[in-house]
Amino acid sequence: MCGIVGYTGKGQAFPVLIKGLQRLEYRGYDSAGVALMSDTLNLYKCKGKVSDLLSHIGSANTEGHYGIGHTRWATHGEPNDANSHPHQSMSGDLVLIHNGIIENYDSIKKELMQRGYVFKSETDTEVLVNLIEEIKKNENVSLAEAVRKSLNEVIGAYAIVVMSKSEPGTLVAARKSSPLVIGIGAEGDYYIASDATPIVEFTKNVVYLDDGEIAEIVPGKELRLFTAKKQNVTPYIQELELHLEQLEKSGYEHFMLKEIYEQPRSVHDSMRGRLNVAKGLVHLGGIADYEQKIINAQRIIIVACGTSWHAGLVGEYLIEDLARIPVEVEYASEFRYRNPIITENDVVIAISQSGETADTLAALELAKSKGATILGVCNVVGSSIARTTHGGSYTHAGPEIGVASTKAFTSQVTVLTLMALMLGSKKGTIERSRYQRLLYGLEAIPEKIERALKTDKLVEEISTKFKDSSNFLYLGRGYCFPVALEGALKLKEISYIHAEGYPAAEMKHGPIALIDADMPVVVIATKGPSYEKVVSNIQEVKARKGVIIAIVTEGDTQVTEMADYSIEIPETEEIFSPLVASIPLQLLSYHIAVMRGCNVDQPRNLAKSVTVE
């Protein structure tokens, strides 16, 4: 959720921190703040976005060679100036930024209040910084040691960076269930961030902290890593594959639109090196060692949240259809709390764009403790899910900055499609002729997405008719039912219009009561085995004066004549329909949101990476 950034070195900290916060703002934008240390500590923070912080600072002193910054997604305490980070200890010696939740903050706070501590905010973070101060002062230990001792007393999730007036230049960072990466500069400078986006401009050499690790960072000195139990850790330095140009809008008005248009490439990149049509091969190196385990699995359980859950539903259809292995798709947040039955014969697949989703990580840990084989499908190299799982596949979608996932969804579905094809081929559950046909069909998908993007102007025109609607209904059958769910979610996320996705046949079991002349109904009516059934569903809507926006296959006349508005997409195999049909729905949500004056890339109350429960 929240974004944190830190710098210590020979340069000025403020430009590094501000640029870092701007790159991390997709993680939260309820408030922002920086703390800079020179001869004195200068702390600036306020409610609002990074742009509001810059206005708040104005011409004030921003000198300092080390400092920390934070952009907040509110958990404990409403978004206001007092609850903004960084937080100072009562004496003013320590300053701390935090992403996560300290669950036992209340009991610690009461004990500290009995010792005379006074709190200015409602946050759990201010409790933690004062706990560190209490231990540092009473036990006369270094900042790093005080942090270590404090973290042994807290329960919850955290990524923190702390600095002290009494130890100039030193930053102490730690993580548990929230991501943190340290960049190592050429001149002995160090950079800290929630993810690599603020770091790539300055260095390609990074260290990803593991759960329970603490880093003592002093400019010009070797990075020191150790655990909460005081065990030393040798830093493992990796080279970033991220490129700076991937983090820019490249002429697009919004990141979301750029990312929608990047899908021909991101889908191609997710197939590259894995799909060989000429040889009739699908190879996923990250799960190669577990192929037999998956093939022989009693069942596959897919755990995910939000858009990734919708991709998981498509994965269920794919794997059961092509590989004939039972699949269950679970909301990670529910799975972990309902005492699920998991055995050593199960394979659990976690899907997460960021690889840091807190509920999904917790679900994986539960499954791992029960002996299941756990695999991951995620986008971020070095993320927590990538390091927790036994194996898995990266999506290679590239950075996704817009909060509403677009290319992440289609890349996840692409990887799941490859997985299903590979398993079906190995098991012999796909006829060879169909298998080869599907490989050719999948290879053609990036070009078909390119053609689907040409509906943009038509979708924009249709959007003008419905920008003031209060409700939408999305209907789909078979492989297009998850597409209906995803289309509805996109509209809700960025335009704040209430929308629901339903299996088309289920409309008669309740939602049909909502249909009238003011209810737009988006129907995914592409050619496939359920086409005639969908036609019947459209007739049911039209009989009740509902307004139909139909996604149809190129050349369709039957649905086009019935619908009020129709959007044609290229014909494809039914199993690939989610990859193409989702494109006009993404564009529809985008254009409606823009016309309503909504902040497309930073919708209210949302954050890109949900790292708290």
Side-chain angles (χ1 to χ4, degrees):
M1 300 295 237
C2 304
I4 64 178
V5 61
Y7 169 79
T8 184
K10 297 177 182 177
Q12 286 294 313
F14 183 69
V16 177
L17 299 181
I18 288 297
K19 190 171 287 186
L21 291 181
Q22 289 168 336
R23 294 228 170 101
L24 288 174
E25 197 165 24
Y26 66 89
R27 300 179 66 91
Y29 27 87
D30 288 330
S31 64
V34 293
L36 302 153
M37 195 79 80
S38 55
D39 294 333
T40 59
L41 171 68
N42 292 307
L43 194 156
Y44 308 104
K45 59 180 183 174
C46 66
K47 176 184 176 180
K49 299 184 178 182
V50 178
S51 58
D52 297 308
L53 174 65
L54 285 169
S55 297
H56 173 68
I57 293 171
S59 58
N61 180 16
T62 57
E63 294 292 316
H65 295 289
Y66 73 111
I68 54 179
H70 187 275
T71 180
R72 183 175 186 238
W73 187 87
T75 52
H76 286 68
E78 67 178 78
N80 59 30
D81 292 353
N83 291 328
S84 304
H85 294 219
H87 285 282
Q88 268 186 290
S89 61
M90 192 173 72
S91 74
D93 179 50
L94 304 185
V95 188
L96 182 146
I97 51 176
H98 170 217
N99 172 30
I101 293 177
I102 304 302
E103 295 175 8
N104 62 335
Y105 82 100
D106 191 51
S107 59
I108 296 172
K109 184 175 184 177
K110 288 173 180 174
E111 185 175 337
L112 289 171
M113 290 174 70
Q114 289 176 356
R115 299 182 188 185
Y117 283 84
V118 177
F119 293 87
K120 300 176 181 178
S121 77
E122 303 168 88
T123 68
D124 52 341
T125 304
E126 190 184 7
V127 174
L128 179 56
V129 72
N130 279 305
L131 174 63
I132 296 169
E133 174 167 279
E134 176 71 1
I135 290 173
K136 186 175 186 293
K137 177 179 63 178
N138 284 352
E139 300 189 22
N140 194 27
V141 294
S142 68
L143 176 62
E145 181 63 6
V147 170
R148 186 192 72 80
K149 286 177 173 285
S150 299
L151 295 180
N152 281 314
E153 295 188 23
V154 302
I155 299 168
Y158 52 79
I160 62 169
V161 186
V162 198
M163 62 183 189
S164 169
K165 290 180 184 178
S166 60
E167 295 185 33
T170 297
L171 300 179
V172 177
R175 70 151 284 180
K176 180 184 177 185
S177 302
S178 290
L180 206 59
V181 57
I182 300 171
I184 303 172
E187 302 297 321
D189 296 355
Y190 288 97
Y191 308 84
I192 309 169
S194 297
D195 62 42
T197 55
I199 292 174
V200 65
E201 183 173 349
F202 305 104
T203 181
K204 289 281 191 177
N205 298 319
V206 298
V207 173
Y208 291 95
L209 290 191
D210 281 324
D211 264 8
E213 289 184 349
I214 303 166
E216 185 178 38
I217 304 161
V218 183
K221 293 186 178 181
E222 188 172 331
L223 176 67
R224 184 169 82 92
L225 292 188
F226 53 97
T227 69
K229 295 182 179 179
K230 220 172 182 177
Q231 298 169 319
N232 290 325
V233 177
T234 301
Y236 173 58
I237 300 173
Q238 302 183 47
E239 185 173 341
L240 284 177
E241 296 179 6
L242 189 64
H243 300 287
L244 188 59
E245 59 270 19
Q246 294 176 297
L247 307 177
E248 307 298 334
K249 289 181 183 175
S250 305
Y252 288 91
E253 186 177 355
H254 298 97
F255 279 110
M256 182 181 178
L257 187 61
K258 177 195 175 196
E259 288 154 9
I260 290 171
Y261 271 84
E262 284 177 339
Q263 288 174 105
R265 186 179 71 205
S266 59
V267 167
H268 175 268
D269 287 347
S270 293
M271 293 190 287
R272 191 179 60 222
R274 294 166 171 173
L275 175 64
N276 188 323
V277 175
K279 294 184 178 179
L281 292 176
V282 175
H283 178 71
L284 295 167
I287 63 171
D289 292 342
Y290 301 95
E291 284 179 6
Q292 207 57 46
K293 179 75 175 179
I294 305 170
I295 288 168
N296 295 329
Q298 180 176 304
R299 62 177 173 163
I300 292 172
I301 303 169
I302 296 176
V303 293
C305 301
T307 287
S308 296
W309 188 80
H310 297 155
L313 285 180
V314 179
E316 177 182 23
Y317 283 65
L318 288 162
I319 294 169
E320 291 193 343
D321 182 1
L322 302 179
R324 310 306 296 156
I325 302 170
V327 180
E328 296 176 13
V329 184
E330 300 267 5
Y331 284 113
S333 56
E334 291 296 314
F335 177 77
R336 58 178 295 204
Y337 287 116
R338 65 170 182 79
N339 194 21
I341 299 169
I342 308 168
T343 73
E344 295 178 358
N345 296 319
D346 293 329
V347 171
V348 176
I349 301 174
I351 308 175
S352 167
Q353 188 282 139
S354 66
E356 302 292 349
T357 310
D359 285 317
T360 307
L361 272 167
L364 281 188
E365 295 290 358
L366 172 63
K368 199 173 188 179
S369 71
K370 303 287 187 181
T373 299
I374 59 172
L375 306 174
V377 175
C378 61
N379 189 34
V380 181
V381 176
S383 59
S384 296
I385 285 177
R387 287 179 287 148
T388 300
T389 50
H390 294 114
S393 296
Y394 287 115
T395 57
H396 301 304
E400 189 178 63
I401 307 300
V403 167
S405 281
T406 51
K407 65 177 181 174
F409 173 73
T410 49
S411 294
Q412 289 166 351
V413 171
T414 300
V415 169
L416 292 167
T417 304
L418 290 167
M419 193 179 295
L421 285 165
M422 181 271 291
L423 292 172
S425 174
K426 299 275 185 182
K427 282 192 72 178
T429 49
I430 314 175
E431 290 182 5
R432 194 67 195 175
S433 59
R434 185 190 180 203
Y435 173 71
Q436 196 65 44
R437 187 177 75 250
L438 291 175
L439 295 191
Y440 277 107
L442 183 57
E443 186 181 46
I445 289 299
E447 184 270 334
K448 291 184 178 182
I449 292 175
E450 194 81 60
R451 286 162 56 193
L453 287 166
K454 292 179 181 178
T455 65
D456 192 3
K457 288 299 180 186
L458 172 61
V459 173
E460 186 176 9
E461 290 173 15
I462 294 171
S463 299
T464 62
K465 312 290 185 183
F466 300 101
K467 64 183 177 64
D468 297 319
S469 297
S470 300
N471 299 282
F472 267 73
L473 189 62
Y474 286 69
L475 302 177
R477 278 181 179 260
Y479 281 93
C480 287
F481 163 51
V483 178
L485 293 175
E486 176 60 13
L489 177 61
K490 288 284 96 57
L491 191 69
K492 281 185 280 194
E493 283 180 312
I494 63 171
S495 73
Y496 319 138
I497 295 173
H498 175 255
E500 294 295 334
Y502 263 87
E506 286 297 301
M507 178 185 61
K508 296 187 291 292
H509 298 276
I512 199 167
L514 298 171
I515 293 175
D516 58 22
D518 297 321
M519 170 68 84
V521 181
V522 180
V523 184
I524 300 99
T526 51
K527 288 291 178 68
S530 301
Y531 178 76
E532 296 301 331
K533 298 292 185 184
V534 174
V535 169
S536 297
N537 297 137
I538 291 173
Q539 290 171 331
E540 291 163 356
V541 174
K542 292 299 293 181
R544 288 153 181 85
K545 299 184 179 180
V547 180
I548 296 288
I549 305 167
I551 310 299
V552 301
T553 303
E554 282 176 341
D556 180 285
T557 56
Q558 187 175 3
V559 171
T560 298
E561 289 173 2
M562 297 168 60
D564 297 274
Y565 305 90
S566 62
I567 303 165
E568 292 190 355
I569 60 173
E571 185 172 4
T572 188
E573 293 272 354
E574 186 199 18
I575 73 165
F576 305 137
S577 55
L579 293 167
V580 184
S582 60
I583 304 302
L585 301 187
Q586 294 170 356
L587 291 168
L588 183 69
S589 65
Y590 171 79
H591 286 300
I592 288 176
V594 170
M595 291 173 188
R596 289 168 66 89
C598 301
N599 190 328
V600 171
D601 287 334
Q602 297 175 352
R604 69 187 183 203
N605 302 331
L606 297 178
K608 185 68 180 173
S609 180
V610 184
T611 57
V612 297
E613 293 182 37

